Amino acid sequence: MSRLATATIHLDALRHNLARIRDMAGEAKVMAVVKADGYGHGLERVARALAGADAFGVAAIADGLRLRAAGHDQRIVVLSGPDSAADLAEMRRLKLEAVIHHDSQLDWLKADAGEPLRVWLKVDSGMHRLGFPVERVAEVRAQLAAMPAVHDEVVFMTHFAASDEFDNALTAQQIAAFRQATDGLPGPRALSNSAAVLGWPAARGDWLRVGGLMYGLSVVAGQTGADFGFRPAMSLATRLIAINRLKAGQRLGYAATWQAPEDMPVGVAAIGYGDGYPRSAVSGTPVLVHGHRAEIIGRVSMDLVTIDLREVPQAAVGDAVTLWGPQLPVEHIADQAGTISYELTCGMTRRVLFVEDDG
Ligand SMILES: *Cc1c(COP(=O)(O)O)cnc(C)c1O
C-alpha cells in the first residue's frame, strides 16, 4: 500500500488566484510562473487551472516541452534562457521564448540563422544575480535588433531582490535604475514578481510575472497569501497511526530532545522529512488533528512525526492530521522551520500521493 501522506491540490483556488491577479493587474499582462513543477503543485494540473494566463514562465526547456505536449499554445518564457547554442533550435521548435542575460547567449544568437526567436532582455537593476548591467542595456538592445534570429519585439525585464519589504529603498532604486536604463528604448516592460504586485504598484509595467500568489503563497513577513485575498492551493495531510501514553519525565524521539512534563498522550503520524515535511520544524509547530489544533513535539524523523495530544484527548488512530492547508497556513509552518512557504511546497517527494480537488 502507498503511504498515507497526501497533497491535495485545490484547482478552484488556483483559478481564484489568477482572477485576483487579473483584478490587480489592470492593463498589464500576466505570466503565471510554473517553474519547479508549478512550485511543487504539479506542472500539468497547475497549467490546466491557470490556462487563462497570458504566458507561462518556466526554468527549463523540458518544462516547456511538457506544456506543449499537454496542448498549451500560450507564450512560454524560459526564465534563464538557453544554456547552449543547441538549445536555440529546441526553443524554436517548441516556440519557447528566451530570457537573454549573458554575452555567451548573444554569441549563440549571433551565429544562429533560424527563424526569429522571441527574446526577453534581462537587466540587472541591482540584484546582481543574472542580467546585463544597466550601462550596457542600450548597446545589447541594438545588438539584438541587428540579429536576424531575434524577433523585432524585445521585452525588457528585471527582477527584484527585496520587494517583499514594502519600505526597502533597494526596490525603489531598482525601479529607477531600470527606468533609466530602458528610457526611450522600444519594447514592453516586465518588472514585478508576486511581492511587487502587492507592495510596489509603481513597478507594474506591461507584464507581471507571478509565481507565489498564484498558489496562494506570500513571502511578506508576518502575512499569509490569505491576508491579501488569495487562497492556498495545497493541503498536506496524513493520518495518526499510533497513540501512546508517555509517563512524566520520559523522553521522546531521536536525540531525546523532548521530555514529557506530565503523563500524556502522544500521537504518531505517518509523515516525515522523507515526504518533504521539514526536519527543521521545531517542537511547537502546529498541526490539526481531526480539525483541532495540536503541536509537533520532538524531532521530525524520516517517516514520522510525533504530536502532543493533551489538547485533543478524543483523538483516535486513523484520524486525519493536517500539516498545512486553508485552515493552517503553510507560511506559519515555514516560519517554524526557518524557511519560506515556497521551499515547503516545492519539497514534496515522490512518495507523496497527489490528488486534485476540483470543488
Ligand atoms: C520565480 C520568478 C518569478 C516569480 O516570483 P514569485 O515571487 O514567486 O512571484 C518572477 N520572475 C522571475 C525571473 C523568477 O525567476
Side-chain angles (χ1 to χ4, degrees):
M1 213 188 85
S2 67
R3 291 193 27 100
L4 297 167
T6 303
T8 303
I9 306 304
H10 308 293
L11 303 181
D12 248 15
L14 292 166
R15 292 187 282 257
H16 165 86
N17 295 337
L18 173 59
R20 175 135 181 80
I21 289 290
R22 283 249 182 251
D23 281 347
M24 302 173 88
E27 299 284 288
K29 292 195 165 74
V30 176
M31 178 195 297
V33 179
V34 295
K35 62 198 187 193
D37 210 26
Y39 287 45
H41 296 65
L43 178 63
E44 283 83 0
R45 72 171 61 87
V46 162
R48 209 176 345 116
L50 300 180
D54 300 299
F56 291 119
V58 298
I61 291 175
D63 288 347
L65 174 59
R66 282 170 65 186
L67 291 173
R68 291 296 183 229
H72 293 286
D73 56 9
Q74 289 91 339
R75 297 175 66 172
I76 300 177
V77 182
V78 181
L79 292 170
S80 50
D83 299 322
S84 69
D87 281 353
L88 293 176
E90 184 70 351
M91 296 182 79
R92 186 173 287 119
R93 185 176 75 79
L94 294 166
K95 280 200 162 51
L96 307 183
E97 307 187 14
V99 170
I100 298 298
H101 57 80
H102 197 264
D103 278 314
S104 52
Q105 297 171 320
L106 290 178
D107 294 341
W108 303 330
L109 280 170
K110 215 174 295 171
D112 192 279
E115 290 286 297
L117 265 182
R118 283 185 174 269
V119 162
W120 297 53
L121 197 174
K122 183 143 182 184
V123 179
D124 175 15
S125 59
M127 183 162 174
H128 305 313
R129 189 179 59 175
L130 287 184
F132 291 98
V134 286
E135 59 275 12
R136 288 199 54 202
V137 171
E139 166 245 320
V140 172
R141 178 69 184 84
Q143 282 198 54
L144 291 169
M147 292 180 194
V150 173
H151 192 282
D152 288 342
E153 184 190 272
V154 171
V155 184
F156 293 97
M157 68 177 272
T158 197
H159 198 46
F160 295 125
S163 55
D164 53 310
E165 295 168 18
F166 296 164
D167 55 0
N168 192 319
L170 176 57
T171 305
Q173 288 163 21
Q174 286 194 258
I175 295 169
F178 178 80
R179 286 231 176 94
Q180 204 182 353
T182 58
D183 188 41
L185 298 174
R189 274 44 174 178
L191 299 84
S192 291
N193 56 0
S194 291
V197 170
L198 296 175
W200 297 89
R204 185 177 290 162
D206 303 297
W207 279 91
L208 308 176
R209 305 185 310 271
V210 181
L213 288 177
M214 288 292 177
Y215 310 96
L217 307 172
S218 154
V219 290
V220 177
Q223 284 186 283
T224 66
D227 292 336
F228 298 104
F230 293 85
R231 285 168 49 189
M234 181 189 287
S235 297
L236 181 66
T238 185
R239 292 189 181 280
L240 285 178
I241 61 166
I243 296 176
N244 301 313
R245 291 212 58 94
L246 247 63
K247 291 200 167 52
Q250 285 183 325
R251 287 180 173 276
L252 176 66
Y254 284 119
T257 58
W258 200 85
Q259 187 171 29
E262 58 186 323
D263 291 6
M264 60 182 285
V266 173
V268 184
I271 194 162
Y273 64 81
D275 304 289
Y277 190 81
R279 184 174 177 277
S280 51
V282 295
S283 288
T285 301
V287 298
L288 301 176
V289 177
H290 208 83
H292 302 277
R293 206 176 161 90
E295 292 180 354
I296 285 183
I297 47 176
R299 283 269 170 87
V300 172
S301 49
M302 186 182 290
D303 306 326
L304 303 166
V305 297
T306 39
I307 300 167
D308 179 349
L309 289 179
R310 282 177 290 177
E311 302 296 322
V312 200
Q314 71 276 31
V317 167
D319 277 357
V321 177
T322 300
L323 290 311
W324 59 71
Q327 313 310 324
L328 185 62
V330 63
E331 290 92 338
H332 293 171
I333 310 307
D335 282 346
Q336 298 283 323
T339 183
I340 61 169
S341 56
Y342 295 10
E343 187 180 22
L344 297 188
T345 63
C346 281
M348 297 294 93
T349 68
R350 271 174 298 183
R351 72 181 188 185
V352 174
L353 177 69
F354 274 73
V355 298
E356 293 175 11
D357 157 30
D358 203 357

